[in-house]
Amino acid sequence: MEIMKLVGAIMLLMGSFSLLISAIGLLRMPDVYNRVQTGTKASTLGAIVSFIGVGLYKYDAWSDGNWIGRVIILIIFILLTNPVSSHVLMRAAYFMKVPLSKLTKVDKLKEDIDNNVIKEPGNE
Amino acid sequence: MISPEMIVYIAVGIMTLAMLMAMVRFVKGPSVVDRVVAFDSLTISSLVIISVIAMLSNRMIYFDVAIVYGLLSFIGVIVVAKYIQKGL
Amino acid sequence: MKTKNLIVSFLVLMIAWLLLNWTIDPVNIVIGAAISLFLSVVFCSNCDLFTSINLTPKAFAYTFMYLVVFIVELIKANIDVTKRVLSPSLPINPGIVKVKTKLKSKMARLILADSITLTPGTFTLQVEGDTFYIHWINVDNEDVEKVTEELVAKFEKYLEVLYD
């Protein structure tokens, strides 16, 4: 079954291109918020596709080893932790007032804080 | 004739290039948050590379290394975010 | 309510144990069941995280459909971000917009915020009650209803059925 190996290798190649594009975005984008948009989150799909590729490449070890279980655990793990960490990081960056880039059109959160619709979480 | 192994090696090369570019942002980054974002990106790339090494050298124990490494880096990012927002 | 909470957390822990061990040896399963029961009694007998999940056949079908919709959205958003990153003029248009959700339970709001964060191009910056503040890489209008229609409605109609 050479074809399974080929499919797995091609999925690895696609995932590595996705990781490369996210790294290019990390270099080119003008401020922290846009870097997160391309940097850590575009790489999530790349990592998932690569893990599926690894699982397909090792098709001959599906019966005895626990490869496929480990691969599924890693995919679920990345899907659960990645949004939480990027949300916490960006929330911290916003409230320690890392500046938004000049291209930013609208900031509804700042408007609402200025109009006292919501409270800014202080350093209590 | 292109064999699957060769495609895997090319993919690992591209991932290494991505890690180098993230490293540039890690060194250059104007603020702390930029560096943490670059660190997060480096973590994901190295998780994939660890799993590829486990696949090529046929040792399942390296997958456990990848799982524990991902967990520790998640906790590290959360701790840094909490720290820069209001101190430990 | 408390038994449902215990059952769901026990099932989650048990599935993780089976995936990590990948065996159907009876001794292994008994040990895993004992550890899962102990952990879910100690840590999850008082939390109310899983009480809003519907455990009906319709909910399982909607979970599957939600996963399909989510993966399609993920791939579409990735292609869009790839185009933006690779084009030389860097056509981005970022901004922070406000959406309102009609989901009530905490778990449904958590899943919705996670889905918004996982699709590239949008991430949830702050949650205040039913209002989400979202950083969006391509703001094309600022009106609350229109943005809600564009970003949230596609996930919301499935999550309404899953959690009450």
Side-chain angles (χ1 to χ4, degrees):
Chain A
M1 284 291 281
E2 194 69 5
I3 189 80
M4 285 286 253
K5 272 196 171 184
L6 196 64
V7 171
I10 288 172
M11 286 187 90
L12 258 174
L13 196 66
M14 282 161 59
S16 70
F17 269 115
S18 185
L19 289 173
L20 182 70
I21 283 163
S22 80
I24 294 172
L26 201 62
L27 279 182
R28 288 192 68 195
M29 287 292 165
D31 66 347
V32 184
Y33 307 93
N34 294 309
R35 275 175 209 144
V36 161
Q37 299 280 17
T38 57
T40 62
K41 281 160 43 201
S43 59
T44 313
L45 186 72
I48 291 169
V49 170
S50 306
F51 288 138
I52 295 173
V54 169
L56 287 179
Y57 194 89
K58 292 298 292 181
Y59 68 94
D60 49 352
W62 281 3
S63 52
D64 54 338
N66 332 4
W67 288 93
I68 197 77
R70 295 286 201 280
V71 169
I72 293 170
I73 286 271
L74 260 174
I75 290 173
I76 293 174
F77 187 73
I78 283 195
L79 276 179
L80 286 182
T81 60
N82 212 341
V84 177
S85 67
S86 66
H87 161 73
V88 170
L89 193 60
M90 283 305 103
R91 194 165 168 277
Y94 190 85
F95 289 116
M96 75 181 268
K97 299 190 172 49
V98 175
L100 292 145
S101 84
K102 289 194 177 60
L103 294 167
T104 307
K105 275 174 68 183
V106 56
D107 189 351
K108 283 274 171 68
L109 184 52
K110 190 170 187 311
E111 286 170 22
D112 277 3
I113 287 173
D114 288 346
N115 297 331
N116 289 319
V117 180
I118 60 169
K119 274 212 307 265
E120 180 173 0
N123 301 333
E124 70 271 8
Chain B
M1 184 63 206
I2 299 175
S3 65
E5 282 81 11
M6 204 183 287
I7 299 179
V8 171
Y9 288 134
I10 294 170
V12 172
I14 294 171
M15 283 171 207
T16 315
L17 188 62
M19 283 180 81
L20 281 177
M21 291 167 96
M23 192 68 91
V24 171
R25 175 54 71 192
F26 186 84
V27 172
K28 208 166 83 173
S31 71
V32 184
V33 186
D34 289 280
R35 296 200 165 99
V36 182
V37 169
F39 166 73
D40 209 10
S41 186
L42 279 173
T43 304
I44 293 179
S45 305
S46 43
L47 280 186
V48 177
I49 289 185
I50 290 173
S51 67
V52 171
I53 290 172
M55 176 187 93
L56 288 178
S57 66
N58 218 346
R59 304 186 103 187
M60 202 178 59
I61 194 84
Y62 293 165
F63 258 101
D64 300 342
V65 176
I67 292 173
V68 174
Y69 181 48
L71 226 161
L72 282 178
S73 93
F74 168 64
I75 295 171
V77 170
I78 298 267
V79 167
V80 171
K82 281 288 171 198
Y83 175 64
I84 61 179
Q85 195 181 353
K86 52 181 148 186
L88 280 173
Chain C
M1 276 299 110
K2 203 175 160 184
T3 49
K4 189 187 193 180
N5 214 345
L6 278 183
I7 289 170
V8 175
S9 58
F10 174 77
L11 282 180
V12 170
L13 289 170
M14 194 68 204
I15 289 171
W17 172 270
L18 287 179
L19 278 177
L20 271 176
N21 278 292
W22 204 254
T23 169
I24 45 170
D25 184 24
V27 178
N28 211 325
I29 290 180
V30 169
I31 293 173
I35 294 174
S36 309
L37 194 64
F38 176 72
L39 286 179
S40 53
V41 166
V42 169
F43 288 107
C44 218
S45 54
N46 286 323
C47 65
D48 56 348
L49 190 59
F50 300 118
T51 46
S52 60
I53 297 177
N54 286 332
L55 292 173
T56 56
K58 194 183 173 197
F60 282 109
Y62 269 71
T63 309
F64 184 71
M65 280 156 68
Y66 177 72
L67 279 179
V68 172
V69 168
F70 174 66
I71 290 170
V72 169
E73 286 297 325
L74 191 60
I75 293 170
K76 265 162 58 183
N78 264 287
I79 292 170
D80 182 58
V81 166
T82 304
K83 273 184 206 155
R84 282 178 205 283
V85 169
L86 289 184
S87 66
S89 59
L90 207 63
I92 59 170
N93 210 358
I96 296 171
V97 293
K98 184 159 95 165
V99 301
K100 288 208 181 295
T101 175
K102 44 184 198 239
L103 299 171
K104 291 286 185 291
S105 73
K106 282 183 197 165
M107 190 75 185
R109 283 178 185 168
L110 170 70
I111 303 277
L112 180 63
D114 268 4
S115 307
I116 290 171
T117 307
L118 262 176
T119 45
T122 52
F123 71 80
T124 316
L125 196 58
Q126 172 76 319
V127 178
E128 290 278 343
D130 64 343
T131 311
F132 288 11
Y133 294 90
I134 294 177
H135 185 276
W136 191 9
I137 203 170
N138 181 28
V139 179
D140 49 13
N141 55 47
E142 302 169 14
D143 189 44
V144 176
E145 279 83 24
K146 279 181 189 157
V147 178
T148 307
E149 183 65 32
E150 193 166 341
L151 292 180
V152 178
K154 58 200 175 197
F155 299 129
E156 214 171 32
K157 65 183 177 194
Y158 296 99
L159 290 174
E160 270 176 344
V161 182
L162 285 177
Y163 305 97
D164 55 9

